[in-house]
Amino acid sequence: MNSASSEQSAATSGIEISGLHFAYRRGFQLSIPYFHVASGEHVLLAGSSGSGKSTLLHLVAGIDDASAGEIRIRGTNILGLHGAQRDTFRGKNIGMIFQTFNLLQGFTALENVMMALMLAGYSTSQQRSRAESALSKLAIADPHSPIEMLSVGQQQRVAVARAVAGEPCVVLADEPTASLDPANARAAIDLIKEAARTAGAALIVTSHDPSLREAFTRIVEVSQFAPTEAVR
Ligand code: ADP
Ligand code: MG
């Protein structure tokens, strides 16, 4: 794919999905004719377990590949990028928060955030200053603590700091509250929304938990995406 076909005018911001089709070998399929999340917009992607929420986030992050369609982020079709180009694009533009945080044990909070910024192509001095700033905004008292010494709440803050330290234009959070009690779940959602707001990012949070619905003005059910082709 040449660069002309993977770029378009800056008119479309945030995340723009069109004509997307994905299928696991002999199994689950996901089709999305059109879906747009604007810069600064926050969306709850709801639906029961197994409905395809993680699948969609993995496609938006370019972790999985679709069989058809485009996912434009800041106008660039991430599915049209390959290998190191796609990894660098993801590092620069997409912040991800996972249910189990996916922080690297044996490294400090600061090192965890700096590593993400290194993958995004920042210089060592930029990695350090951005990581320190993100961790301090998220009230991490000791950025030099090994990850495993921090409480679960502090680890989640480090995961949020890692996701937003590079000021991505897209933040994706997959079931970020699944292991938290209701009070902490709402606090975590508020933290993620605030971090995304500060970065000016388009935010998609997935959850099967109906109690999170009141935290969002836009809620999309995965099951409401119509098939791209006429159904029989
Ligand atoms: P959710 O995140 O909403 O719980 P997923 O996106 O994880 O749903 O999964 C959607 C569907 O795809 C489920 O039916 C699941 O069993 C299936 N699925 C998930 N991962 C794979 C895989 N690696 N291979 C085949 N099927 C999968
Ligand atoms: Mg999931």
Side-chain angles (χ1 to χ4, degrees), residues 119-138:
L119 294 175
Y122 288 98
S123 70
T124 309
S125 62
Q126 285 176 323
Q127 291 165 31
R128 180 168 294 276
S129 61
R130 280 178 174 267
E132 283 172 348
S133 155
L135 287 164
S136 110
K137 276 188 202 141
L138 284 155

Side-chain angles (χ1 to χ4, degrees), residues 13-33:
S13 64
I15 308 163
E16 188 180 41
I17 297 177
S18 54
L20 187 71
H21 185 77
F22 170 86
Y24 282 114
R25 227 178 289 270
R26 326 181 278 113
F28 178 80
Q29 299 196 23
L30 182 67
S31 288
I32 303 183

Side-chain angles (χ1 to χ4, degrees), residues 7-196:
E7 302 287 336
Q8 68 173 35
S9 77
T12 311
S13 64
I15 308 163
E16 188 180 41
I17 297 177
S18 54
L20 187 71
H21 185 77
F22 170 86
Y24 282 114
R25 227 178 289 270
R26 326 181 278 113
F28 178 80
Q29 299 196 23
L30 182 67
S31 288
I32 303 183
Y34 189 80
F35 179 46
H36 179 222
V37 182
S39 288
E41 190 176 20
H42 298 172
V43 175
L44 177 68
L45 186 63
S48 55
S49 185
S51 58
K53 304 182 296 298
S54 296
T55 301
L56 177 52
L57 286 203
H58 292 170
L59 288 164
V60 173
I63 294 168
D64 280 331
D65 262 304
S67 52
E70 293 187 338
I71 299 176
R72 292 190 175 276
I73 290 169
R74 250 185 203 157
T76 296
N77 177 19
I78 188 168
L79 300 177
L81 302 176
H82 300 282
Q85 255 190 329
R86 190 188 283 192
D87 293 339
T88 304
F89 182 83
R90 180 191 304 117
K92 279 195 191 306
N93 293 287
I94 302 176
M96 298 190 71
I97 300 161
F98 303 89
Q99 178 184 343
T100 53
F101 312 145
N102 290 10
L103 296 166
L104 292 173
Q105 307 291 306
F107 292 91
T108 67
L110 186 68
E111 286 165 342
N112 264 272
V113 179
M114 284 180 68
M115 264 182 269
L117 292 165
M118 181 184 72
L119 294 175
Y122 288 98
S123 70
T124 309
S125 62
Q126 285 176 323
Q127 291 165 31
R128 180 168 294 276
S129 61
R130 280 178 174 267
E132 283 172 348
S133 155
L135 287 164
S136 110
K137 276 188 202 141
L138 284 155
I140 299 299
D142 183 7
H144 299 287
S145 294
I147 281 299
E148 56 274 22
M149 302 292 283
L150 299 177
S151 69
V152 171
Q154 288 269 300
Q155 288 188 30
Q156 179 152 52
R157 285 173 176 271
V158 175
V160 175
R162 180 181 58 178
V164 299
E167 291 170 4
C169 58
V170 167
V171 175
L172 307 173
D174 198 8
E175 304 273 1
T177 64
S179 51
L180 305 176
D181 60 53
N184 283 317
R186 182 55 200 259
I189 289 297
D190 290 343
L191 186 72
I192 290 166
K193 287 174 58 182
E194 175 61 20

